[in-house]
Amino acid sequence: MTGRTGIYQAAGFLMLAQISAGLPAARAQGVDGLQRAPVSAVQQDELTQQDAAVQQATLSLPFDSQTGVAAFWSGPDFIIVADKSVPALTRAFGGHGVFSSLDVTVLDHATLVRLHLPRHPTLSLGHDKDGWLLTVVSSGNGSASRSVQQNQLTQRSEPGFVFFPLRQPGHVVSLPDPASGARLLIATSRLPTGGWASAQHNVGYSLRPTLEGLVVEADSDQMHLQASTQGAALRAVAVHPLPVGLPFASTGSNSTQGKDWLWLGLRKDTAETLKKQRDAAFAALAKAGPHQEDAASLKAAQAAFASGAFQQAASVLGGLISVSTHSDQDQATTSASFSVSQRQQVAFLYAASSLLAGDMKSASILNEPDWGRDPELRLWQGVYGLYAGQNSQITATVLASAMVQAKQYPASIRDRILPPMAAFIARYGSLDAVRAVGDLPDGSDYDLVRALLHVRDGKLETARIALENMTAVDNVQTAAYARTDIVRVMRDADLIAPDMAVAAYRKLLKNDGATGPLPMGAKALTLLGLAQALTQNGEPRAALAILASLQPGAETPEDSLADAYRAAAYRLVFGAPHNNGSAQSGGEEELSVPQRRLALVAQILPRLPDGAEKAKVLMGYGRLLLTAEQPDAAVTAFKQADIMLAAPLARAEASELLAQAAMKAHHLSVAQHAIDQAASPLMPDDLAARRAYDAARVAQAQGDTDKALALLAHDESDAGLDLRGQLYEADHKWADAVLVVGRLASRALPEQGALTESQRALAFRLTGDATAAHDAGTLQRLKAWLAGRTLGRERDELITIQLQQVGHKPASP
């Protein structure tokens, strides 16, 4: 970067920076200059600091042009969140000057930079070709601060949500607030925006002031922040949501006048009539002149969609959609023959047609939050989420709120979308969502859903009989789903053991005796069930091989796949299945090799969403790494777990384990920082004692024996006595060493029976301390206690010599 000097090497790569008050011309503060210049990719992967002799301290953050950033205060700490992993920064810890508290935690899906700045200096976050620049603004230079304030985020209330426009939005990251543990929803930006100006409190959520990006403190679990191509949308997702944004406009009592009916061309006609209307519309399109072709294409596509010919509808619109989207930017290039509303209609109809024709890529614009302005269009966002395998709880809730609407659709559309909607809710939805399904139309298309609803209602025997009857129906797809659902229901109810479930799922996958191939949806559901049963049966490696073949979809939503990966991780880390199913020993051999277990867990971790459940896996994984003598990797695991935990005691536990790992890895500064973080007024006695012990070990390593002994003054644990003995021995305070090592030996040495090697070593250690202290009494008592038992020939001979040397002299003070 232009003008940077005095770069120094630390922790394997370049770190903190100091630069002069005159910033390079290439830099942009807020959004100044960046609206006109392209964003360049960062050419370095490091943190740097410039010459300390200059006026302003600046931290260079090498996040490239595809990485979104958010920055905000959390209590005494300033937090910078990047929305992707930057592994090269794993060892970034500590620095000089105002940024000496730098701490970087690299997660699988984000990077968190934390600076302890309790005085809250004035900061400016700028941007140049090499990344982002965090600067402490001097009191005589307010221009940089003002430039940030000139461009700030705004909000726009829409029906059902609040929208925050961003020119180049990044992703949404969810983490607990480091200071309070509150749930934070963080929307990042790839270009400077100036952040959010001031705190704002609303029903169910608050907006935090930020220097960059958007930070929502979610008081309610209903709050959901969605990134889009234009910004971020905040909404409440529930069957009965909190009031966020504007109320929905009333569509009146006639549902057929809603925008969905008008745009999709829906009609309450018979299938034969709809086919005739489609044929007539395509005949008119064939005769249309150049000026009428666009309008005729739209009418033909509507007629095709209404009759159920979804692929035909999408094909007709394919030539128009390249210039017909719902965004303001693209509308300027759209054919003048369409109005603004018609351009939106074309885009929506094309997306809905593509969705039901199985073209998810062409349907992806339904994921944009703008369609949510109209409640009747949100149904189609839910159907898109279903087939895309998005979060099942959010998707099921959106679908449940649209059940009445879907039931009122013409049969040609209703019977296409309602059965999968209801089945998805029955399998994955909350109890509130299941209740919203209500009565279903008559007909065999809904038999499977009714059986699944019996399961959710606790009527397992009724559901089992219904599913068994469906295995013999002529409908290949219904029969396939029924067969796999029987196994799933019986396994979930613990009516069959995991090994029986594994055998049953494998038999279903063979599809023996079936009249056709196993339908893809039923196959995906069967594979997911097989993976879950394999994990419960003690075969997580085989389960992972199955899961690797699955992608998010209607039968395998992304959170269900994550749950299956998490269960495998629990089995590997803790040696028992995550759920209450009985485990078999068939696959235990793959857990017996520590390095193999660690490799499998490392393979799973990037598949898990960040949060408290992943933190629990990381805690167990970190313990395994410590046992395997991999303290550096354990440090990373415990740091990641600490970031994801909200409860103070859980975080204190993670910090204490981090201190242990850091000591083993010889990272004293990391260990001391972790010990400081582990402080909690509600800490139980055993955790407080472990923290004190860790602090004493750090003090010992730093050569501060007095501090270490003061911390251990009341520690009577074996580890505490052992460490106190080491400290006294190092200071040649032999009489004190005899007292504490003697107490340790009185617990560890049995009165009778052979001694283990560690017991022999302890006894010999005590004789050495007693000899140095000229404590003949202790030596005689120890000899009597051992009662002729050997410590080994050489040790026995040395003890005899020591007794002769000390004789009956009084112990030294």
Side-chain angles (χ1 to χ4, degrees):
M1 185 185 304
T2 304
R4 296 187 179 180
T5 58
I7 300 176
Y8 68 92
Q9 189 78 21
F13 50 82
L14 299 176
M15 297 181 64
L16 294 171
Q18 297 269 358
I19 62 174
S20 64
L23 300 177
R27 180 191 307 179
Q29 295 284 350
V31 294
D32 298 350
L34 289 178
Q35 308 285 5
R36 300 178 296 278
V39 180
S40 302
V42 173
Q43 301 301 314
Q44 62 188 43
D45 203 10
E46 58 201 24
L47 300 181
T48 58
Q49 178 169 348
Q50 278 124 353
D51 193 349
V54 294
Q55 295 181 10
Q56 289 186 335
T58 296
L59 175 67
S60 179
L61 302 164
F63 301 130
D64 64 23
S65 60
Q66 298 305 307
T67 303
V69 170
F72 57 97
W73 286 101
S74 172
D77 294 342
F78 189 71
I79 308 294
I80 301 170
V81 175
D83 61 9
K84 80 172 188 179
S85 175
V86 185
L89 302 187
T90 300
R91 291 183 175 273
F93 186 93
H96 292 168
V98 70
F99 296 132
S100 62
S101 63
L102 172 72
D103 181 25
V104 178
T105 302
V106 180
L107 306 175
D108 289 315
H109 311 291
T111 301
L112 187 140
V113 178
R114 188 169 177 173
L115 295 161
H116 188 64
L117 302 171
R119 295 187 179 182
H120 280 215
T122 302
L123 300 174
S124 169
L125 189 62
H127 194 277
D128 70 4
K129 67 182 181 64
D130 290 321
W132 295 80
L133 302 169
L134 179 68
T135 304
V136 178
V137 181
S138 63
S139 58
N141 184 4
S143 60
S145 179
R146 286 193 297 273
S147 70
V148 173
Q149 301 303 316
Q150 288 172 358
N151 299 279
Q152 290 178 332
L153 290 176
T154 61
Q155 63 178 333
R156 186 175 74 235
S157 291
E158 300 284 355
F161 67 97
V162 177
F163 189 72
F164 302 88
L166 290 164
R167 280 194 66 246
Q168 286 201 20
H171 302 291
V172 170
V173 178
S174 180
L175 290 172
D177 178 33
S180 66
R183 175 172 167 248
L184 300 183
L185 306 175
I186 304 166
T188 64
S189 175
R190 297 173 185 171
L191 289 179
T193 64
W196 186 259
S198 59
Q200 184 181 114
H201 302 283
N202 301 282
V203 177
Y205 72 96
S206 301
L207 299 177
R208 292 275 193 93
T210 68
L211 202 59
E212 188 53 68
L214 179 75
V215 176
V216 178
E217 181 175 325
D219 302 322
S220 169
D221 291 339
Q222 293 186 13
M223 293 302 120
H224 174 64
L225 189 64
Q226 177 190 355
S228 74
T229 58
Q230 303 297 315
L234 178 69
R235 61 165 47 95
V237 179
V239 175
H240 304 291
L242 293 172
V244 175
L246 300 176
F248 288 111
S250 174
T251 57
S253 58
N254 187 355
S255 64
T256 63
Q257 296 303 309
K259 190 172 286 188
D260 53 341
W261 283 70
L262 297 176
W263 281 7
L264 298 175
L266 303 184
R267 299 177 180 87
K268 284 277 191 181
D269 291 320
T270 65
E272 183 179 356
T273 300
L274 291 173
K275 183 180 182 304
K276 290 180 179 179
Q277 292 171 345
R278 181 186 68 198
D279 292 342
F282 275 86
L285 173 60
K287 298 177 182 178
H291 297 294
Q292 294 81 35
E293 187 175 3
D294 288 349
S297 295
L298 177 55
K299 288 183 178 180
Q302 286 180 313
F305 185 91
S307 67
F310 308 117
Q311 182 61 63
Q312 189 177 26
S315 298
V316 171
L317 295 173
L320 302 176
I321 196 62
S322 61
V323 291
S324 300
T325 72
H326 66 285
S327 67
D328 293 338
Q329 182 178 353
D330 291 333
Q331 285 173 5
T333 62
T334 305
S335 169
S337 64
F338 284 133
S339 66
V340 172
S341 177
Q342 285 176 320
R343 287 194 286 267
Q344 293 176 331
Q345 179 182 358
V346 168
F348 181 77
L349 177 57
Y350 178 69
S353 301
S354 300
L355 176 63
L356 298 187
D359 182 0
M360 295 301 297
K361 182 177 180 181
S362 297
S364 62
I365 62 170
L366 290 172
N367 206 38
E368 291 293 321
D370 285 359
W371 301 113
R373 292 190 183 102
D374 302 286
E376 60 266 33
L377 301 187
R378 288 196 68 197
L379 179 154
W380 292 92
Q381 289 187 308
V383 177
Y384 175 82
L386 184 161
Y387 286 113
Q390 294 179 347
N391 181 278
S392 65
Q393 295 306 297
I394 293 173
T395 301
T397 300
V398 173
L399 294 174
S401 65
M403 287 300 294
V404 173
Q405 176 186 350
K407 290 175 185 178
Q408 294 174 346
Y409 276 176
S412 57
I413 308 299
R414 182 199 65 193
D415 293 340
R416 175 65 174 82
I417 65 172
L418 186 56
M421 287 172 58
F424 189 90
I425 295 170
R427 286 195 178 99
Y428 302 112
S430 65
L431 289 178
D432 283 343
V434 170
R435 294 188 191 101
V437 173
D439 296 331
L440 293 170
D442 295 331
S444 59
D445 289 343
Y446 299 90
D447 287 345
L448 178 65
V449 177
R450 277 187 275 268
L452 296 176
L453 291 173
H454 284 318
V455 174
R456 296 301 302 271
D457 200 30
K459 300 175 182 177
L460 296 182
E461 185 61 17
T462 302
R464 185 187 63 79
I465 294 172
L467 289 170
E468 285 186 354
N469 291 335
M470 275 181 275
T471 62
V473 300
D474 293 334
N475 187 310
V476 173
Q477 182 161 299
T478 299
Y481 276 110
R483 283 191 287 268
T484 193
D485 274 317
I486 286 176
V487 182
R488 182 181 63 85
V489 168
M490 295 183 71
R491 177 66 207 121
D492 288 348
D494 207 18
L495 297 176
I496 58 174
D499 59 337
M500 295 176 63
V502 168
Y505 281 127
R506 283 176 170 161
K507 183 177 180 181
L508 291 177
L509 288 171
K510 292 179 180 178
N511 204 31
D512 292 340
T515 57
L518 185 64
M520 293 303 297
K523 182 178 181 179
L525 193 63
T526 304
L527 287 170
L528 178 58
L530 174 58
Q532 293 166 332
L534 284 167
T535 294
Q536 294 167 347
N537 198 46
E539 302 177 73
R541 185 168 60 170
L544 292 176
I546 298 293
L547 291 172
S549 69
L550 294 174
Q551 296 295 325
E555 288 75 19
T556 54
E558 59 186 19
D559 51 324
S560 293
L561 291 177
D563 286 344
Y565 276 110
R566 187 182 300 113
Y570 270 81
R571 188 70 178 84
L572 289 163
V573 170
F574 302 111
H578 179 35
N579 60 21
N580 294 324
S582 58
Q584 304 296 315
S585 59
E588 290 295 337
E589 71 281 354
E590 65 191 50
L591 306 184
S592 62
V593 182
Q595 294 304 321
R596 184 180 298 168
R597 291 176 68 186
L598 292 173
L600 288 173
V601 177
Q603 174 186 335
I604 295 172
L605 286 170
R607 303 273 192 170
L608 305 183
D610 294 338
E613 290 184 308
K614 182 174 181 175
K616 185 175 180 180
V617 174
L618 285 165
M619 296 275 279
Y621 178 56
R623 289 186 175 97
L624 290 179
L625 289 167
L626 282 178
T627 302
E629 300 299 326
Q630 298 183 38
D632 284 304
V635 166
T636 299
F638 291 135
K639 284 188 71 176
Q640 291 176 339
D642 177 71
I643 291 299
M644 299 177 198
L645 292 167
L649 287 183
R651 297 184 66 180
E653 174 80 12
S655 295
E656 193 278 325
L657 288 169
L658 172 58
Q660 290 186 36
M663 283 295 297
K664 281 194 172 185
H666 308 293
H667 301 320
L668 292 186
S669 59
V670 177
Q672 185 61 62
H673 180 71
I675 290 166
D676 295 340
Q677 289 293 113
S680 172
L682 301 177
M683 186 181 295
D685 292 342
D686 62 333
L687 184 55
R690 283 157 48 195
R691 177 179 178 272
Y693 174 79
D694 295 335
R697 290 184 62 206
V698 172
Q700 177 194 31
Q702 294 172 337
D704 193 342
T705 301
D706 291 340
K707 179 180 179 181
L709 288 169
L711 288 165
L712 294 170
H714 303 290
D715 190 342
E716 290 296 315
S717 67
D718 288 354
L721 291 174
D722 176 59
L723 183 55
R724 286 167 69 186
Q726 293 178 36
L727 293 167
Y728 285 131
E729 289 162 352
D731 275 2
H732 294 180
K733 296 180 178 179
W734 302 113
D736 291 326
V738 168
L739 289 175
V740 294
V741 177
R743 291 205 296 278
L744 185 59
S746 67
R747 300 176 187 172
L749 302 181
E751 189 173 357
Q752 297 178 345
L755 302 178
T756 65
E757 179 55 33
S758 62
Q759 290 169 339
R760 293 175 181 179
L762 177 59
F764 189 70
R765 175 185 177 186
L766 179 56
T767 64
D769 292 344
T771 299
H774 303 290
D775 187 345
T778 296
L779 287 172
Q780 292 292 346
R781 287 191 296 273
L782 179 59
K783 182 179 180 180
W785 184 266
L786 294 175
R789 290 174 289 177
T790 182
L791 301 183
R793 186 174 60 83
E794 292 184 0
R795 289 172 178 168
D796 290 343
E797 292 175 356
L798 284 171
I799 290 176
T800 300
I801 295 172
Q802 289 168 342
L803 282 169
Q804 292 173 350
Q805 290 177 342
V806 174
H808 297 284
K809 295 180 182 180
S812 299

